[in-house]
């Protein structure tokens, strides 16, 4: 199975990125997902996964990576 990639631009103030990342973290964590936020120099990356070690070993673990960074026009790119 190949990887799926999509990009979206959301209009808003780029200074809101940390608050949006935290809201995403809280929502997925409440549903039982493991969520990790990494702060990069120009972006924030959110790693979301669900599944235990056995599923990961079998390649059945689901995962999502969200990268949020400011665009040149001041919007937020996901």
């Amino acid at each position: 199975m190949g990887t799926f990639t999509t990009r979206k631009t959301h209009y808003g103030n780029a200074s809101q990125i940390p608050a949006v990342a935290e809201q995403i973290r809280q929502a997925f964590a409440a549903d039982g997902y493991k969520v990790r936020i990494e702060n990069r120099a120009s972006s924030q990356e959110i790693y979301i996964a669900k599944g235990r070690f056995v599923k990961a070993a079998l390649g059945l673990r689901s995962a999502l990576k969200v990268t949020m960074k400011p665009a040149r026009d001041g919007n937020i790119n996901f």
Side-chain angles (χ1 to χ4, degrees):
M1 179 192 290
T3 59
F4 174 76
T5 302
T6 186
R7 292 181 187 260
K8 294 185 180 200
T9 300
H10 295 272
Y11 298 97
N13 190 336
S15 66
Q16 297 289 329
I17 289 175
V20 171
E22 180 58 23
Q23 288 178 348
I24 291 170
R25 187 198 65 75
Q26 289 176 359
F28 277 95
D31 286 338
Y33 289 84
K34 292 182 181 182
V35 184
R36 187 177 82 236
I37 297 176
E38 292 187 7
N39 297 312
R40 305 285 184 198
S42 63
S43 66
Q44 283 197 310
E45 293 182 349
I46 307 169
Y47 297 89
I48 304 166
K50 191 167 192 176
R52 299 188 185 270
F53 178 75
V54 173
K55 284 187 175 183
L58 295 174
L60 301 173
R61 186 174 183 178
S62 59
L64 173 67
K65 176 183 170 187
V66 177
T67 302
M68 295 188 296
K69 61 184 177 180
R72 292 182 188 168
D73 57 3
N75 296 314
I76 301 171
N77 281 334
F78 282 85

